[in-house]
């Protein structure tokens, strides 16, 4: 399944993270049809200009800031407990920088950009890897800054080269697997902090050494989780994350009443703590640039893959949120401009030591629900985040680590796509579930970076699978089931009914490429040795690759061995990919004149060409060079000479050159035309440059009978296809003749009715063939 925006579960996760429930916002409604055909309904507050942006930005800050602090602590805690404060600072600075810069440069109204879970997972894994390699902590700090800068540059590059319109397309199983993997990684990394295990302990080490657990940490974590989960049931006025964080802080100080040592910041494993070595805000920022001399080319190269992974993930996360915003607000964002804005925001965040991020679904929904209208709400959120830090920065040191870990555990749990288990109920979706499991397993056992590569590969496999699962042959018929629009004499139709099965017509659809070439050959193979003409109607074909062309050459060669002919009709000149299939076939030599291959603009032209050859092969004497006499016209066969002489006296004889118009749509007239020699084409004008071919009439046939029977303006154009000689009988002169020769008049009307019935019968047969 290919999505333009987040599936239902992802939107719900983001809303639930903030304690929101869809359908509880005051104001007008918006709805989105998401994965599994379920509809998410969100009520959006009525816009109130600047006031709405102020309220929306304030509410968004309350949602984004606690999570940003938790994400930052998660990343930097791997360097040691004393660096947790740097993580909190990075989260706050990232929130401020992204709110200010990305909102102004990106241009998407109401979008809130802040540090997010995918960034935390990738950067945390990167930090743990660097620590395992023995990289000094000061160097890791700088590498994180450089990684944020590279991510910003890559996102800007995506926007400048126009990848914004493509990067948002990602199959649901790949996104589900990746985010589920991120959620599990976050949970696994936070459980040791929740339990109060020693810094640097792995999940397994923490679980197997209960003697290292701190009961105070567990109590704080349980209280935080309980408030995070239960708070939305009682109030929507304050985001659940804020209430949970406050509850965690309150429980910490409540426990400190029985343990005064908890009121000491120095070497206190239960709280974030002060910046390492103390220092001011400016000194904290400057510390991030220490160790620049330790960065070499090798380290820069090692950052390329993580930076690319992070840039793609953050871009997808942002554009997914933008598409949801479009659906709710009936607006349209500029994907490429937004990526440039996001890149500038992450570049700025990196320069000041902040954490990179993306457009956050939860904070954006809260912003919109609070009445935000423009992108200035994002600027308000960034300014308030910076003000909050400057005013309350000293209090960040007292935030319990277990409280932040508990918030992230809840977020990670909600990121896990439990709805994907429903894919096991149907055989048709088991492979999609297998893809989700594969991405999750790679993320957990190898890493997030290889998981992203696995996701891309599996996305390609899924695409090929979907193409192969669909039938490349839309319809199949034979020449005695489907006929051209040229109206034939009964004797000619007998030949076509008898020999028409020498022709097989295949209507193709979709993409002809290496994945479907074998399917097409299998469908054609039974006919290659039994038919003299194979017609491939290419009207609905979307693209053709070289493998498919090679397969068509094999088919042409097999037919040529039997002097059979391969025919293409309606070769598209401008398919969605921009390919001119007619030119492409010529360039690769598939339609060279020495090969037994024919091409026609329409299927009807191909059918008419084949029918002419079948009739000629039957050696039907058609006497095209001599105009027919009235007694030789099919509807007058067997009539008395005296009767025909009276009828001919009422007729005019007219001749037309090839291409000359006989009558036009809308013309007044009551004349019926009988063809003595040549052919006449009937077309329905659609516009000044387009028309639809209705029928072609040949020697001994008639046309114009509708106006003859029912005097009304002509309904189509008639044009001489070749030089043509005609008998012309007007209704007025026929009525005069009928008064004296009633039997002749009745006979003529019956003959016309019989021919019309035959034409209708063949039309019905063609309709049946089209629907089989």
């Amino acid at each position: 399944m290919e999505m333009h925006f987040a599936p239902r579960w992802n939107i719900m996760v983001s809303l639930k993270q903030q304690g929101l429930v869809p359908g509880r916002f005051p104001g007008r409604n918006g709805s989105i049809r998401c994965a599994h055909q379920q509809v998410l309904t969100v009520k959006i507050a009525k816009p109130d200009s600047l006031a709405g942006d102020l309220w929306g930005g304030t509410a968004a800050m309350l949602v984004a800031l606690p999570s940003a602090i938790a994400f930052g602590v998660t990343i930097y805690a791997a360097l040691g407990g004393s660096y947790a404060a740097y993580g909190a600072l990075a989260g706050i600075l990232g929130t401020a920088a992204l709110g200010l810069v990305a909102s102004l440069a990106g241009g998407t109204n109401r979008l809130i950009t802040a540090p997010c879970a995918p960034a935390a997972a990738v950067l945390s894994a990167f930090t743990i890897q660097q620590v395992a390699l023995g990289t000094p902590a000061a160097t890791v700090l700088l590498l994180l800054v450089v990684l944020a800068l590279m991510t910003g540059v890559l996102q800007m590059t995506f926007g400048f080269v126009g990848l914004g319109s493509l990067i948002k397309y990602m199959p649901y199983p790949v996104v589900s697997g990746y985010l589920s993997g991120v959620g599990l990684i976050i949970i696994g990394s936070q459980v040791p902090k929740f339990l109060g295990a020693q810094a640097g302990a792995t999940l397994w080490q923490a679980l197997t050494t209960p003697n290292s657990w701190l009961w105070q940490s567990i109590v704080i974590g349980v209280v935080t989780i309980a408030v995070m989960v239960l708070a939305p049931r009682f109030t929507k006025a304050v985001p659940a994350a804020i209430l949970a964080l406050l509850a965690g802080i309150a429980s910490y100080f409540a426990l400190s009443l029985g343990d005064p040592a908890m009121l000491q910041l120095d070497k206190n494993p239960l709280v974030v703590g002060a910046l390492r070595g103390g220092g001011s805000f400016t000194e904290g920022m400057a510390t991030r640039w220490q160790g620049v001399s330790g960065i070499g080319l090798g380290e820069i190269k090692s950052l390329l893959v993580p930076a690319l992974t992070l840039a793609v993930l953050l871009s997808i996360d942002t554009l997914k949120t933008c598409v949801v915003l479009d659906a709710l607000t009936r607006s349209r964002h500029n994907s490429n401009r937004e990526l440039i804005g996001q890149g500038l925001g992450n570049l700025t965040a990196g320069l000041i030591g902040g954490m990179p991020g993306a457009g956050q679904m939860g904070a954006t929904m809260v912003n919109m629900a609070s009445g935000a209208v423009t992108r200035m709400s994002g600027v308000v959120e960034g300014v308030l985040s910076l003000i909050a830090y400057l005013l309350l920065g000293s209090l960040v040191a007292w935030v319990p680590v277990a409280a932040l870990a508990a918030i992230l555990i809840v977020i990670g749990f909600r990121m896990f796509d439990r709805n994907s288990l429903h894919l096991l109920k149907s055989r048709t979706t088991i492979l999609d579930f297998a893809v989700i499991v594969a991405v999750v397993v790679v993320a957990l056992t190898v890493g997030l970076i290889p998981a992203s590569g696995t996701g891309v590969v599996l996305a390609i496999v899924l695409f090929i699978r979907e193409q192969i699962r669909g039938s490349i042959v839309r319809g199949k018929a034979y020449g005695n089931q489907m006929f051209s629009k040229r109206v034939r004499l009964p004797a000619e139709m007998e030949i076509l009914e008898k020999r028409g099965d020498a022709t097989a017509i295949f209507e193709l659809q979709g993409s002809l490429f290496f994945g479907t070439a074998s399917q097409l050959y299998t469908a054609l193979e039974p006919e290659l040795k039994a038919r003299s003409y194979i017609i491939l109607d290419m009207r609905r074909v979307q693209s053709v690759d070289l493998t498919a062309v090679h397969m068509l050459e094999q088919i042409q060669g097999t037919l040529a061995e039997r002097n059979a002919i391969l025919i293409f009709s309606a070769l598209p000149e401008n398919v969605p990919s921009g390919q001119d299939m007619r030119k492409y076939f010529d360039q690769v030599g598939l339609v060279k004149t020495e090969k037994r291959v024919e091409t026609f603009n329409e299927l009807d032209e191909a059918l008419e060409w084949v029918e002419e050859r079948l009739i000629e092969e039957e050696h039907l004497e058609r006497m095209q060079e001599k105009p027919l006499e009235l007694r030789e016209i099919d509807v007058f066969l067997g009539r008395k000479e005296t009767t025909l002489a009276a009828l001919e006296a009422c007729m005019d004889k007219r001749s037309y050159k090839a291409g000359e118009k006989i009558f036009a749509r809308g013309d007044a007239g009551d004349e019926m035309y009988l063809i003595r020699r040549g052919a006449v084409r009937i077309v329905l004008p659609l516009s000044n440059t387009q028309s639809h071919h209705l029928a072609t009439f040949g020697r001994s046939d008639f046309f114009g009978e509708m106006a003859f029977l029912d005097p009304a303006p002509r309904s189509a154009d008639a044009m001489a296809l070749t030089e043509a000689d005609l008998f012309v009988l007007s209704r007025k002169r026929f009525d005069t003749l009928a008064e004296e020769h009633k039997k002749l008049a009745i006979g003529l009307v019956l003959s016309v009715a019989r021919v019309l019935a035959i034409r209708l019968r063949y039309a019905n047969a063609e309709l049946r063939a089209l629907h089989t």
Side-chain angles (χ1 to χ4, degrees), residues 379-698:
V379 176
V380 171
E381 180 261 350
V383 171
L384 292 179
S385 297
L386 186 58
I387 292 174
Y389 170 73
L390 294 176
L391 295 179
L392 306 174
S394 59
L395 299 180
V396 172
W398 290 101
V399 174
V401 173
L404 297 176
I407 292 173
L408 290 180
I409 287 174
V410 175
I411 292 175
F413 178 76
R414 289 169 175 172
M415 288 184 69
F416 185 78
D417 183 15
R418 297 178 298 281
N419 286 330
S420 63
L421 297 176
H422 295 299
L423 299 177
L424 291 172
K425 296 180 180 179
S426 173
R427 289 184 178 181
T428 59
T429 55
I430 288 179
L431 184 56
D432 295 298
F433 183 78
V435 171
I436 295 175
V437 172
V439 175
V440 171
V441 169
V442 174
L444 295 177
T445 58
V446 183
L448 284 171
I449 296 172
S452 66
T454 302
V456 172
V457 172
L458 291 178
I460 297 173
V461 173
L462 283 174
F463 171 76
I464 295 175
R465 180 178 72 107
E466 290 300 320
Q467 293 292 319
I468 294 175
R469 286 174 64 181
S471 176
I472 195 68
V473 177
R474 186 173 186 268
K476 175 183 175 182
Y478 295 102
N480 55 2
Q481 298 173 321
M482 179 182 292
F483 304 95
S484 72
K485 294 174 182 176
R486 176 156 186 165
V487 181
R488 303 286 182 181
L489 299 175
E492 294 175 326
M493 292 305 301
E494 288 179 8
I495 294 174
L496 296 180
E497 289 176 344
K498 175 183 175 182
R499 304 192 56 190
D501 61 354
T503 307
I505 304 106
F506 291 86
E507 184 182 7
L508 307 185
Q509 64 181 358
S511 297
L512 277 175
F513 70 114
F514 63 89
T516 55
S518 177
Q519 180 193 140
L520 177 59
Y521 189 85
T522 301
L524 294 178
E525 190 174 18
E527 312 295 344
L528 298 182
K529 295 182 180 180
R531 312 298 165 192
S532 299
Y533 304 94
I534 299 291
I535 300 177
L536 301 182
D537 183 11
M538 310 288 284
R539 181 178 31 154
R540 289 182 171 85
V541 174
Q542 301 293 315
S543 63
V544 177
D545 73 354
L546 196 58
T547 302
V549 169
H550 179 66
M551 182 271 300
L552 292 172
E553 287 180 332
Q554 289 181 309
I555 292 174
Q556 184 274 328
T558 302
L559 291 172
E561 292 175 358
R562 302 177 43 253
N563 289 322
I565 298 176
L566 176 63
I567 301 170
F568 295 104
S569 69
L571 284 171
E573 295 183 359
N574 187 20
V575 296
S577 63
Q579 183 185 49
D580 186 334
M581 204 173 296
R582 191 180 297 272
K583 288 184 178 180
Y584 181 64
F585 277 18
D586 183 61
Q587 291 169 354
V588 297
L590 183 59
V591 291
K592 288 183 177 179
T593 54
E594 62 268 18
K595 293 187 176 182
R596 295 180 65 83
V597 176
E598 299 289 338
T599 61
F600 295 92
N601 293 327
E602 297 179 8
L603 174 61
D604 184 70
E605 294 178 4
L607 288 170
E608 186 174 335
W609 183 84
V610 172
E611 289 170 357
E612 291 293 322
R613 290 178 65 93
L614 291 175
I615 292 171
E616 290 174 5
E617 290 169 3
E618 192 70 14
H619 301 294
L620 180 68
E621 185 179 352
R622 305 184 64 180
M623 298 179 62
Q624 291 280 9
E625 71 283 355
K626 181 182 177 182
L628 295 175
E629 299 297 334
L630 188 61
R631 66 177 179 276
E632 297 174 300
I633 301 293
D634 190 61
V635 294
F636 299 126
L637 293 177
R639 300 291 179 185
K640 295 180 180 179
E641 291 291 336
T642 55
T643 301
L644 292 176
L647 179 60
E648 187 171 355
C650 298
M651 291 183 172
D652 294 332
K653 293 181 180 179
R654 299 178 189 172
S655 298
Y656 295 89
K657 296 180 180 179
E660 187 176 354
K661 186 168 289 188
I662 300 172
F663 57 74
R665 179 184 180 185
D667 288 353
D670 63 350
E671 299 169 326
M672 181 173 68
Y673 299 82
L674 299 99
I675 303 175
R676 304 178 64 206
R677 181 175 67 92
V680 175
R681 189 180 181 92
I682 308 298
V683 297
L684 177 65
L686 301 177
S687 66
N688 292 333
T689 58
Q690 292 183 322
S691 60
H692 178 66
H693 178 205
L694 295 176
T696 300
F697 296 96

Side-chain angles (χ1 to χ4, degrees), residues 70-134:
F71 292 142
V73 170
T74 297
I75 297 168
Y76 284 77
L79 298 173
S82 58
Y83 283 92
Y86 284 112
L89 178 61
I92 295 171
L93 293 176
T95 305
L98 290 168
L100 289 168
V101 179
S103 298
L104 288 173
T108 302
N109 291 328
R110 304 180 180 89
L111 180 68
I112 298 297
T113 304
C116 57
V122 172
L123 294 176
S124 179
F126 174 79
T127 304
I128 293 172
Q129 181 185 33
Q130 292 298 317
V131 171
L133 294 174

